[in-house]
């Protein structure tokens, strides 16, 4: 397929005359994108500040007054028959450290 010289000239002229509109459109869309990006980041900043404030309200007031967990009475730690093998191994290691073999 051959393109005549006139059609080629016409296409180049069309491209030449349309290029300012393409450049203007790209500039306007870039500006709109920048404005939307700024609005989005400011909205995210406000949401982050609200989340941090909500998390600060959940924090313990004075961690020095926290009580230690109480041991369940009537059971030694690690004495359960249904304990996982890791817990039984830990209990055996603790017994070995308390009463070393001769």
């Amino acid at each position: 397929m051959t393109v005549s010289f006139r059609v080629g000239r016409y296409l180049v002229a069309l491209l030449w005359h349309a290029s300012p509109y393409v450049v203007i459109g790209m500039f306007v869309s870039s500006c709109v994108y920048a404005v939307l990006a700024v609005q989005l980041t400011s909205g995210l900043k406000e949401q982050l500040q609200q989340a941090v404030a909500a998390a600060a309200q959940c924090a313990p007031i004075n961690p020095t007054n926290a009580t230690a967990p109480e041991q369940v009475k009537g059971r030694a730690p690690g004495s359960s028959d249904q304990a996982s093998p890791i817990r039984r191994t830990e209990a055996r290691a603790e017994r070995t450290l308390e009463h070393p073999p001769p």
Side-chain angles (χ1 to χ4, degrees):
M1 178 175 162
T2 61
V3 178
S4 70
F5 183 68
R6 267 194 224 170
V7 174
R9 261 178 91 181
Y10 173 74
L11 292 175
V12 169
L14 183 64
L15 182 64
W16 176 256
H17 289 292
S19 61
Y21 300 109
V22 171
V23 170
I24 290 170
M26 289 174 27
F27 176 74
V28 168
S29 64
S30 297
C31 291
V32 169
Y33 177 74
V35 168
L36 291 176
V38 167
Q39 288 178 352
L40 180 66
T41 54
S42 66
L44 289 176
K45 183 180 177 184
E46 291 172 6
Q47 288 179 353
L48 178 65
Q49 289 174 346
Q50 290 174 357
V52 168
Q57 291 176 354
C58 295
I61 296 171
N62 190 359
T64 57
N65 292 339
T67 59
E70 294 181 20
Q71 175 68 31
V72 177
K73 295 185 175 147
R75 272 185 67 203
S79 65
S80 174
D81 292 334
Q82 297 176 355
S84 69
I86 295 173
R87 299 282 295 176
R88 283 184 272 180
T89 304
E90 289 175 359
R92 187 179 327 124
E94 288 176 3
R95 286 193 304 268
T96 304
L97 289 174
E98 290 172 3
H99 307 289

